[in-house]
Amino acid sequence: MTAFAEFRPVMLVTGLLVATLGFAMLLPALVDIAADNDDWMIFASAGTMTMLVGLGLFAANRGIPKGLSTRQAMLMTVASWMALVAFGALPFHWSGIVPSYTDAFFESMSGLTTTGATVITGLDYAPPGILFWRGLLQWLGGLGIIVMAIAVLPMLQIGGMQLFKAEAFDTAEKILPRATQISTSITLVFIAMTGICAVAYMAGGMAADDAIIHAMTTVATGGFSSKDGSIGHFNSAAVEWIAIVFMVLGSIPFILYVQMLQGRFKPFFRDEQVKAFMSFLGVAVLAGWMMAHFSENHIGLEGLRHAAFNVVSIVTGTGYASTDYGLWGPHAVAFFFIIMFVGGCAGSTSCGIKIFRFQVLIEGVRQHVSQVMYPNGVFRAHFNGKPIQDRVIASVMSFFFLFMASFVVLAILLRLTGLDTVSSLSGAGTALSNVGPGLGDIIGPSGNFQSLSDIQKWLLAVGMLLGRLELFTVLVLFLPRFWRS
C-alpha cells in the first residue's frame, strides 16, 4: 500500500466530519435570520465553504476499503479534530467578534474539546448566532468525545481505555459499521437529555435562547455561557441546582443510559466507576462547603449551594462559575487546583484524568503491597468484578506519568512566556484537564483568556487537544517509528 493510499481512509472520514460541521453552521445562520441579524451571511458563507471542502475530500476517497489500521485510526482522530477546529474557527474570525484567527482558533478548540475557556468579552451583547455557535460546538464536541471513547480509544489501548472495549470493537475493521449503530443510540439519548435540560432551565426562569445554549453546554460538560458572568449572572438557586444535576448526568458513561433504555438497570447501579465518582463528589462538596462557610463568604445553605455548584463544575470539567471561589482562602485555591485534575467517568463527556484510572492505580498499588507482604500468595487487581491485566495497569501508570510530565512542560513554557506562576500552573492544568477557568486574577473564574499573548493561546490550545485526545493519540505522531511502513 502506498503512503497516499494509506491516508485515504483518514481523508474520507475527515471529509465526512468536516461536511457535517459545515451543515451545522447553517443552524446559527437560521438563528441570526430569525433575530434579523446580518451575521447569517457569515455563517452561510463559512458553512458553504466548509461543506464544499468536506464533500470534496469525501468524494475523492470513496470506494476505498472501510477497514482502519491502528495507525490510521490514530491519525484519523487527530486529523479530524484539527480540521474541525480549524473550520469551526471561521465564523468567529469572519464575524469580527475576535481580533485574530489565533483567538478564533482558541475559541473553536475550547469549544470542540469542551474546555470552556473563552477569549470573548461582552457576551451579554454578542450576536445570537455566535452565542448559539459556541454552544453548538461544545454540544457536537461532547457527542463526538463519547463516540470516540467507546469506539476508538479502547481499540487503541490508550491509558487503560481497553478496559471498556466491547466485543464489537475487538478489531479496527469493525469500528466504522459498529460505531454507526451505537452512536445512533447515544445521539438519541444525548438529544433527549439536552431537551429535558433546556425545559428545566426554562422552568427555572431562563429565557428560551439562554436555556437552549446552556443546556447544550451543560450536558456536554463544556461550560460556555451566553453571559459574561456565566451561571452566576442569573443569581438563581434553581438554575444552579438544575445545572448540578445535568453536569453530573453528563459525567456518567452514556452507554449505561442506553442499557437502561433497553431495560438493563443493574449495570448502572453496580458500576464501580459511577459509585467512586459519586462518592468523591460527595466528599469534595462537603469539603468545599466547609471552606465557603468558614471563609464567611457564603454561610449555611447558601454555602452548600455554591460549594456543590463549583465543585461539580470543576470536577466534571464543565467550568461554569457562580462565584469567585478564590476568595474562600488560599486553601480553597489549592483545593480547586487539585480537583480540576480528577474528571468524571470514561465514556462520558467529562474530562480530566478520569475516576477509573485512580481506581486502577489504587488496585495496582494494593496488589503490589499484598505481593510484598505475602510473596507466595496470588493476588489480582479487579475492576467492576473483573481481573485487570498487568498491561492495563502499566498503561494507566504510563498515562499518569505522561499527564504530569505534559503538565510540567506546559506550565514551564507558559511561565517562560511571561505569565505569572499561578496562571501558568492553573492554565496548564485547566487546559490538559479541559476544565475552562484557571486560578488567579487573569484567568480565574472572574476573568478570561482574552488578555493572554498569541503564543500563550497557542500553547494552551495544544494543551486542550492533548488532554481531550488522551495524550498518547497526539504524542505518538511525533515518533519516527509511527510513520514507518
Side-chain angles (χ1 to χ4, degrees):
M1 182 184 291
T2 65
F4 178 74
E6 190 176 6
F7 292 144
R8 289 186 66 193
V10 176
M11 292 186 286
L12 175 77
V13 176
T14 301
L16 184 60
L17 292 173
V18 168
T20 302
L21 184 76
F23 180 78
M25 289 180 187
L26 300 182
L27 296 177
L30 293 175
V31 170
D32 273 333
I33 289 173
D36 197 24
N37 189 296
D38 289 340
D39 276 2
W40 72 267
M41 292 183 286
I42 291 168
F43 283 104
S45 301
T48 301
M49 190 183 87
T50 303
M51 277 191 285
L52 287 175
V53 173
L55 291 174
L57 276 175
F58 178 77
N61 294 283
R62 286 187 65 190
I64 61 171
K66 294 186 178 180
L68 283 176
S69 67
T70 300
R71 178 163 64 172
Q72 288 170 331
M74 285 186 171
L75 190 58
M76 176 203 73
T77 303
V78 178
S80 60
W81 218 273
M82 287 296 295
L84 292 172
V85 170
F87 282 101
L90 294 179
F92 294 124
H93 185 46
W94 290 357
S95 68
I97 194 155
V98 291
S100 66
Y101 184 76
T102 293
D103 281 14
F105 189 90
F106 181 96
E107 194 78 10
S108 181
M109 179 68 81
S110 180
L112 278 167
T113 58
T114 71
T115 303
T118 185
V119 293
I120 298 177
T121 55
L123 290 170
D124 298 40
Y125 310 102
I130 287 291
L131 295 177
F132 185 83
W133 180 235
R134 293 169 81 246
L136 186 60
L137 273 180
Q138 291 206 321
W139 192 86
L140 292 171
L143 181 59
I145 286 155
I146 298 170
V147 175
M148 183 182 74
I150 292 173
V152 180
L153 294 183
M155 185 275 297
L156 300 180
Q157 301 187 15
I158 288 173
M161 287 296 290
Q162 56 265 48
L163 277 174
F164 306 98
K165 180 163 64 176
E167 292 179 2
F169 299 118
D170 281 342
T171 59
E173 287 73 18
K174 295 181 181 179
I175 286 181
L176 295 180
R178 184 61 177 143
T180 302
Q181 296 170 20
I182 201 166
S183 63
T184 301
S185 300
I186 289 174
T187 300
L188 293 175
V189 171
F190 204 64
I191 292 172
M193 190 179 292
T194 306
I196 295 169
C197 183
V199 171
Y201 273 140
M202 284 188 276
M206 272 193 188
D209 54 346
D210 289 329
I212 292 170
I213 292 169
H214 284 90
M216 289 192 291
T217 61
T218 302
V219 173
T221 61
F224 271 162
S225 175
S226 56
K227 307 295 180 185
D228 284 326
S230 190
I231 291 290
H233 169 90
F234 300 97
N235 194 27
S236 167
V239 165
E240 289 171 28
W241 284 113
I242 291 167
I244 289 169
V245 169
F246 283 94
M247 284 189 287
V248 172
L249 290 176
S251 301
I252 291 173
F254 272 71
I255 196 70
L256 294 178
Y257 298 134
V258 175
Q259 291 173 340
M260 288 176 70
L261 291 175
Q262 295 170 344
R264 298 158 60 194
F265 293 89
K266 288 183 180 179
F268 184 91
F269 295 103
R270 290 182 178 178
D271 193 286
E272 291 182 6
Q273 188 182 197
V274 174
K275 291 179 183 177
F277 173 63
M278 298 303 291
S279 299
F280 176 80
L281 274 184
V283 173
V285 167
L286 184 61
W289 185 14
M290 294 299 100
M291 293 176 195
H293 179 81
F294 289 113
S295 71
E296 298 185 356
N297 280 275
H298 304 289
I299 307 296
L301 292 179
E302 183 193 7
L304 173 62
R305 178 185 115 211
H306 284 294
F309 181 85
N310 288 285
V311 165
V312 170
S313 177
I314 296 300
V315 171
T316 61
T318 307
Y320 285 143
S322 65
T323 185
D324 188 355
Y325 43 76
L327 301 176
W328 298 356
H331 50 290
V333 172
F335 172 72
F336 278 98
F337 177 72
I338 292 170
I339 66 173
M340 77 165 56
F341 291 101
V342 177
C345 302
S348 71
T349 62
S350 188
C351 327
I353 292 174
K354 306 284 194 312
I355 286 291
F356 87 91
R357 291 195 175 99
F358 291 97
Q359 293 175 276
V360 171
L361 188 66
I362 292 169
E363 281 291 305
V365 171
R366 184 182 299 166
Q367 179 190 14
H368 181 71
V369 170
S370 299
Q371 200 73 59
V372 170
M373 293 178 64
Y374 305 100
N376 296 324
V378 178
F379 303 96
R380 198 68 185 266
H382 288 80
F383 179 80
N384 262 348
K386 297 178 180 179
I388 305 173
Q389 296 178 348
D390 289 341
R391 69 170 181 265
V392 173
I393 296 176
S395 181
V396 168
M397 289 183 173
S398 298
F399 182 89
F400 269 99
F401 170 78
L402 192 57
F403 190 96
M404 296 315 298
S406 300
F407 164 70
V408 170
V409 170
L410 183 56
I412 290 173
L413 290 174
L414 289 170
R415 186 72 184 89
L416 290 174
T417 63
L419 204 59
D420 65 89
T421 302
V422 172
S423 296
S424 297
L425 289 171
S426 64
T430 196
L432 284 170
S433 298
N434 302 118
V435 172
L439 298 169
D441 296 330
I442 302 175
I443 61 173
S446 59
N448 78 359
F449 292 73
Q450 193 274 331
S451 63
L452 300 187
S453 67
D454 283 358
I455 185 64
Q456 290 164 351
K457 290 169 185 171
W458 282 109
L459 286 171
L460 289 171
V462 171
M464 293 179 210
L465 185 70
L466 276 174
R468 188 72 277 181
L469 299 188
E470 305 279 348
L471 300 173
F472 289 99
T473 315
V474 179
L475 295 178
V476 74
L477 301 184
F478 294 93
L479 297 176
R481 187 171 59 181
F482 176 85
W483 300 98
R484 294 179 192 144
S485 300

